[in-house]
């Protein structure tokens, strides 16, 4: 059965310049553009994260995502049908969307169907109203007029799976490029679904996929993927001929009566006789790495791996046409201070092996994203190879425009007011391992403004860059010099908690005397009772809550150090697991989940990110589940959460994943010791408004009472940090009548009071 979902592509309502309470938005990278096609007056493009389009009529650029109507994240294929301008989008999970005049029609048949083996969409081609979707198991035929899947072709022997990378057609045949060669069947064959009616017309004894195929004029052109240089072939007048171009081709397509071939560093243009006419390379567009290209008769449009969509006008004249966003979908860590957000673009794999990601980092001022790496357009701050694998970050608590990033191999990077400084073993006390890699896996500020960092695979696992700019190194007792040390956290006692890879936690106390090593203390915490009591020695995240407690995420759920100040005592400091009741049974909090991220909101509630279960919002003590977001019930990009951080001013919660960043407007913000700039939104509350009413600027976790002007109490609640939420209903659950209402707030002692008023205009009861 075909499921159909129609959605308008609209942007989200904003509150105080941000999202409305409970709304989502996606912060997607459009730099890695894998497909670009014309569709009427628009140019549609696909990044690895999602879809965007450029409107030639008004010059506007529009991003699209699951938040704005698409069915999924993670695009692997996109093409537009010349027959009716319907855009077909294929996702990594085999889901399909059709975009037709702004409407989105979802075809989830392949995604839902149980298929033996891989289920991957490779590419999309067209013949009249039909779309031929090449898949790892065969060809799925989609009717783009009737919005339905017509049939499926299995090309393997006896109707078994065969990996198909692409298709093309002429007036008589459909051709399929597969891992075993080129296959052909008659378009008019009523039994085309029978694999016996497909004939292999070309193959090779040399191993390699036939990964690309297209048609120009009367020639069928295809690419044989080879390790020593690809082989380009074409079928003409019944015979196969080789074209002498041994490049590693990534794309073949036809536009403006020319064949375009994109390889790692250039785009080649052939005429209908397969004669090379011209090319675009890195001399024209520096650092170009094209994934696709087409020519619209005026410009050549190039989808680039790092530079988004490039509009090439000839010579050295080009510009970039894609939405503003972070520089990469990879999000190893997200960190926020005030209205500045930083993200390190790397993959923190569970084995902490380097991936050599040179995607750098991005900065977001809640208006514009700016990316810093060797590939970023018009950004010479970093060169390719300067840094890689930025796996950790922290922001100066006294200057949100200054952030530090730890590189898993290239030391420490400082960003300060747009300037970048690089610290390695040549200009600091950071040390390389035996292979020359300077591994910084954690960075954090202490209570005195000193910057601490871990330095893996060295005797001196801990380094500090003091507030005055000088450095000092600390050698841990009893730690293997080949050990991997990762995240670092500073508690309320200025003790440093260091995540020791799969072995537990190191705690260091310098007694606030950095120059006196004699009074330093080290303790190694494990899963042994009386010596840490961790739920597992494999700790993957730590955070300090508003009560000073240390929450740890492990591969076996959550554990908490309720008395971190006692950690150097002989007893009474072990971590505790939180016992909850679910379905009538007692169990430990998230004991079957691999916890990778924990963040604390303004109400001291815990946002917990897992490897496979999405996000959980728990009460301050962890005993009550408030929310659970996953890929199915929300616009969450991925159930695999790398990091979480929260904008303290707005309560917007950011989730970093390997597929990108998305955010959710939570209902808790940071509070203060007294009311400050109390504000109500919306105010007035109009009859057509059906959402929550937010009262912000309150004393932290204060008691809130709402009355009418006569003093009659209609509702009371407790602020979530510095913000209270009211649904506009009285104690009986009925909408209140029109009138002016007063909100009173005070702390638990009845002090630090404030009052504000709001106007409610009720609709018909």
């Amino acid at each position: 059965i075909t499921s159909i979902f129609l959605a308008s592509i609209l942007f989200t309502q904003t509150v105080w310049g941000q999202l409305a309470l409970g709304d989502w938005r996606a912060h997607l990278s459009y730099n890695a553009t894998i497909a670009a096609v014309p569709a009427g007056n628009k140019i549609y493009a696909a990044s690895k994260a999602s879809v965007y389009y450029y409107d030639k009529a008004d010059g506007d650029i529009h991003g699209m995502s699951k938040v704005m109507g698409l069915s999924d994240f993670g695009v692997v294929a996109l093409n537009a049908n010349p027959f009716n301008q319907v855009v077909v989008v294929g996702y990594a999970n085999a889901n399909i969307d059709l975009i037709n005049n702004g409407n989105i029609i979802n075809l989830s048949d392949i995604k839902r169907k149980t298929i033996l083996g891989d289920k991957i969409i490779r590419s999309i081609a067209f013949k009249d109203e039909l779309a031929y979707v090449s898949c790892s198991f065969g060809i799925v035929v989609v009717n783009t007029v009737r919005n339905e899947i017509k049939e499926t072709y299995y090309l393997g022997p006896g109707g078994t799976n065969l990996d198909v990378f692409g298709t093309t057609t002429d007036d008589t045949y459909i051709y399929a490029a597969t891992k075993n060669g080129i296959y052909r069947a008659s378009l008019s064959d009523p039994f085309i679904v029978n694999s016996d009616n497909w004939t292999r017309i070309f193959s090779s004894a040399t191993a390699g996929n036939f990964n690309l195929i297209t048609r120009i004029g009367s020639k069928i052109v295809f690419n044989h993927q080879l390790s020593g240089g690809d082989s380009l072939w074409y079928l003409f007048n019944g015979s196969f001929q080789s074209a002498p171009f041994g490049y590693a081709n990534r794309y073949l397509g036809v536009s403006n009566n020319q064949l375009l071939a994109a390889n790692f560093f250039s785009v080649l243009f052939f005429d209908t006789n397969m004669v090379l006419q011209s090319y675009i390379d890195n001399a024209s567009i520096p650092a170009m790495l094209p994934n696709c290209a087409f020519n619209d008769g005026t410009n050549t449009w190039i989808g680039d791996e790092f530079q988004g969509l490039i509009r090439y006008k000839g010579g050295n004249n080009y510009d970039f046409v894609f939405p503003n966003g972070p520089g990469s979908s990879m999000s190893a860590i997200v960190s926020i201070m005030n209205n500045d957000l930083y993200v390190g673009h790397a993959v923190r794999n569970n084995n902490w092996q380097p991936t050599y990601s040179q995607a750098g980092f991005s900065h977001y001022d809640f208006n514009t994203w700016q990316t810093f790496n060797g590939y970023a357009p018009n950004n010479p701050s970093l060169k390719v190879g300067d840094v890689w694998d930025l796996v950790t970050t922290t922001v100066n608590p006294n200057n949100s425009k200054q952030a530090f990033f730890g590189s898993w191999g290239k030391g420490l990077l400082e960003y300060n007011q747009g300037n970048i400084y690089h610290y390695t073993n040549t200009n600091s006390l950071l040390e390389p391992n035996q292979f020359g890699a300077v591994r910084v896996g954690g960075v954090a500020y202490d209570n005195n403004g000193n910057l601490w960092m871990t330095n893996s695979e060295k005797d001196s696992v801990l380094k500090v860059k003091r507030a005055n700019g000088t450095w000092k190194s600390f050698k841990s007792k009893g730690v293997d010099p080949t050990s991997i040390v990762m995240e670092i956290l500073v508690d309320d006692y200025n003790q440093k908690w260091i995540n020791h890879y799969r072995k537990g936690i190191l705690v260091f106390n310098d007694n606030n005397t950095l120059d006196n090593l004699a009074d330093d203390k080290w303790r190694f915490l494990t899963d042994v009772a009386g010596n840490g009591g961790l739920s597992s020695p494999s700790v993957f995240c730590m955070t300090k809550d508003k009560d000073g407690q240390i929450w740890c995420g492990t591969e076996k759920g959550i554990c908490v150090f309720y008395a971190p100040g006692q950690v150097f005592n002989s007893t009474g400091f072990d971590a505790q697991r939180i016992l909850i009741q679910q379905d009538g049974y007692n169990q430990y909090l998230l004991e079957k989940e691999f916890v990778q991220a924990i963040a604390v909101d303004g109400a001291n509630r815990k946002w917990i990110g897992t490897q496979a279960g999405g996000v959980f919002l728990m009460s301050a003590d962890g005993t009550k589940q408030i929310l659970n977001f996953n890929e199915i019930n929300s616009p969450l990009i991925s159930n695999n959460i790398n990091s979480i951080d929260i904008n303290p001013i707005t309560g917007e919660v950011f989730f970093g994943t390997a597929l990108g960043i998305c955010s959710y407007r939570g209902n808790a913000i940071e509070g203060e010791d007294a009311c400050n700039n109390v504000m109500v939104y919306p105010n007035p509350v109009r009859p057509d408004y059906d959402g929550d009413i937010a009262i912000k600027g309150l004393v932290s976790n204060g008691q809130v009472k709402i009355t009418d002007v006569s003093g009659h109490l209609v509702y009371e609640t407790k602020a979530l940090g510095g913000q209270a939420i009211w649904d506009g209903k009285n104690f009986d659950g009925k909408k209140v009548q029109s009138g002016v209402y007063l909100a009173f707030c005070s702390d638990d002692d009845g002090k630090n009071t404030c009052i504000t008023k709001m106007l409610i205009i009720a609709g018909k009861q």
Side-chain angles (χ1 to χ4, degrees), residues 673-691:
D673 294 334
C675 296
N676 184 24
N677 297 322
V678 180
M679 183 184 299
V680 178
Y681 181 88
N683 193 11
V685 181
R686 302 190 181 278
D688 57 349
Y689 183 74
D690 194 36

Side-chain angles (χ1 to χ4, degrees), residues 502-520:
R502 292 193 181 277
K503 294 182 178 180
I505 298 174
L506 281 168
V507 184
F508 172 65
N509 189 339
D510 58 58
N511 277 304
N512 292 313
T513 57
L514 293 182
D515 293 318
N516 181 9
L517 302 182
D519 64 356
D520 291 353

Side-chain angles (χ1 to χ4, degrees), residues 104 347 715-716:
I104 300 169
V347 176
Y715 188 77
E716 62 181 335

